[in-house]
Each structure stands twice: as C-alpha cells, then as structure tokens.
Amino acid sequence: MTYEQLSLTITVEDIKSKLRLSISPRRYKHSENVTEVAVKLAKKYGADTNKATIAGFLHDCAKGKSTKELLELSEKFNIHVDEYKKLHPELLHDEIGACIAKTDYGIEDEEILSAIRYHTMGRENMSLLEKIIFIADYIEPGRNFPGVEEIRKLAFDDLDKSILQALDTTLIYLIKIGAIIHPDTIKTRNYFISVAMQS
Ligand code: DGI
Ligand code: FE
Ligand code: FE
C-alpha cells in the first residue's frame, strides 16, 4: 500500500518535522530506530512497510509528558484511567499516543492506530503490525540490556516467541523493581504462552 492509498492528510516528512518538535531528540532518535527495525520486520513477515513507518515514528508521540499532562489528555480523549494506570500514569502514553496520532497527525488507519495503542502492554490476538511495532520497540539498536541480543535474533526467526521472551524479561524487571504489573501485560503473556503451546 502506498502513502496515497493510506489517504494521509499529511506527508511522512511533515509527520517527522512535527514529531521532532514535540518529543526529545533522544526519543526522536529512538522512534527513528524503531521505524528502521519495524520496516525490516515488515519486509520479512509481509506487513505493510508504509504503515510500519508511520506507526514506528508515532508510537511514542505521547512519551515524555508529565503525569499532569497525561491525566489531562486522558480526560480530553475520554480514556479510562484504571487503578493501575493511576499508579503508573506513563502506562497511558500508548493509548494517548494513538489519540494524538489521530487528532494531531490526521492518521485514520485503524491498523496503525492500534499498533500505537498496544505497543507497551500488547494484547491477545495481536495483529502482525501490532507485533512488529511491539518487538521493534524492544530490540531497536539503541536498546542495551541483558538478553536483548537473543531477542533481536529471535524476532527474525519466530516473532511470537520473541514477544513472549520480551514480555518475560519485562515482567522479571518489573518484579525486581517492585513495580505494579498491569493485568493487560499478564493477559498478553498468557496469550503468547498458549500460542507457544499450540505450535
Ligand atoms: O516507551 P518506551 O520506553 O520506548 O517502551 P514501552 O512503551 O514498551 O514502555 C516500556 C516501559 O513500560 C518499561 O519501563 C516497562 C513498562 N511496562 C510495561 N508493562 C508494564 C510496565 N510498567 C508497569 N508498571 N506495569 C506493566 O505491566
Ligand atoms: Fe512507548
Ligand atoms: Fe518506544
């Protein structure tokens, strides 16, 4: 699918310029890296590379906002702030990001919007594009934590397995630091375990 077929009201170059003004240079570089990996994965698994590009650039468009801003934006966009998100408001940046992509960048494509919406905790029955953005975010070249190299390789061999391993790594980290684990993260992990059991 070409950018024209996506009926964008904004060009990709304009998306990039606008994004550059609203997130930190470090976060912008991360988004560029995520896009690069997402496009490689899209080619490998047969997903739409233009959608991967837009979702990659915009996935963290709501990152770096203060707790106050995140809560205000949740109200503005009618996003439910559950008890877990109240304690960890940064968990709202995925859903708020999807709303900002729609309202500020004019992205109407539901596949792109849901790839942004589910990029942090994932969900059951994730679409191919959702999986690609989720794991590209995890393995982009700027990421550097124990175990990332193995997940990087796995992502190009077995996408589902790589997501399960990424979720396990995140959960172990969250337990270590004593953070609240959102039930959606557990649900996603259970889903990928059931996928692994069936394969
Ligand atoms: O926004 P990025 O840093 O690029 O990446 P991301 O959107 O995947 O967010 C990663 C962070 O989200 C990481 O610090 C772990 C955290 N996270 C993921 N699932 C949960 C979670 N944090 C809490 N408290 N609970 C979760 O279930
Ligand atoms: Fe994020
Ligand atoms: Fe990210």
Side-chain angles (χ1 to χ4, degrees):
M1 191 181 265
T2 65
Y3 288 123
E4 285 79 45
Q5 285 169 312
L6 277 171
S7 57
L8 295 177
T9 50
I10 184 170
T11 66
V12 176
E13 282 315 306
D14 287 343
I15 289 176
K16 285 156 70 173
S17 318
K18 197 174 164 80
L19 183 69
R20 217 185 260 280
L21 295 174
S22 74
I23 56 175
S24 71
R26 199 166 149 261
R27 185 60 48 183
Y28 184 84
K29 179 68 196 155
H30 161 70
S31 308
E32 230 173 26
N33 286 349
V34 170
T35 304
E36 193 186 299
V37 178
V39 167
K40 278 188 195 155
L41 288 166
K43 284 182 182 154
K44 158 93 192 171
Y45 292 109
D48 187 303
T49 54
N50 293 321
K51 292 190 188 195
T53 300
I54 297 169
F57 271 113
L58 290 179
H59 82 284
D60 271 342
C61 67
K63 191 91 182 185
K65 298 195 183 295
S66 66
T67 296
K68 187 168 171 275
E69 278 177 295
L70 289 169
L71 295 175
E72 280 168 5
L73 287 164
S74 298
E75 200 169 318
K76 175 181 165 189
F77 293 123
N78 254 320
I79 293 169
H80 174 59
V81 184
D82 64 30
E83 55 192 299
Y84 310 99
K85 295 177 186 178
K86 260 184 205 138
L87 294 168
H88 284 286
E90 67 277 9
L91 287 176
L92 290 161
H93 84 277
D94 49 2
E95 201 168 348
I96 294 175
C99 293
I100 292 179
K102 188 169 187 173
T103 55
D104 291 10
Y105 294 83
I107 306 301
E108 297 283 346
D109 185 273
E110 283 302 326
E111 271 193 89
I112 297 175
L113 295 176
S114 73
I116 300 173
R117 187 173 299 118
Y118 298 107
H119 85 264
T120 306
M121 295 182 282
R123 65 163 165 171
E124 293 164 333
N125 298 304
M126 289 173 85
S127 71
L128 178 58
L129 190 68
E130 286 167 15
K131 289 178 190 176
I132 285 175
I133 296 300
F134 183 95
I135 204 68
D137 190 20
Y138 210 85
I139 61 168
E140 61 96 344
R143 298 290 200 202
N144 178 24
F145 50 83
V148 72
E149 206 44 59
E150 199 187 326
I151 301 173
R152 258 184 202 124
K153 285 195 198 111
L154 205 48
F156 285 85
D157 284 339
D158 188 328
L159 194 54
D160 289 343
K161 262 195 200 151
S162 74
I163 294 176
L164 179 55
Q165 196 149 328
L167 286 163
D168 282 356
T169 308
T170 297
L171 287 168
I172 289 166
Y173 164 75
L174 291 171
I175 289 167
K176 235 182 217 166
I177 65 167
I180 294 233
I181 293 171
H182 196 286
D184 287 354
T185 310
I186 303 282
K187 255 194 208 167
T188 308
R189 177 174 183 263
N190 284 339
Y191 167 73
F192 281 98
I193 288 178
S194 72
V195 169
M197 284 167 76
Q198 281 157 29
S199 68

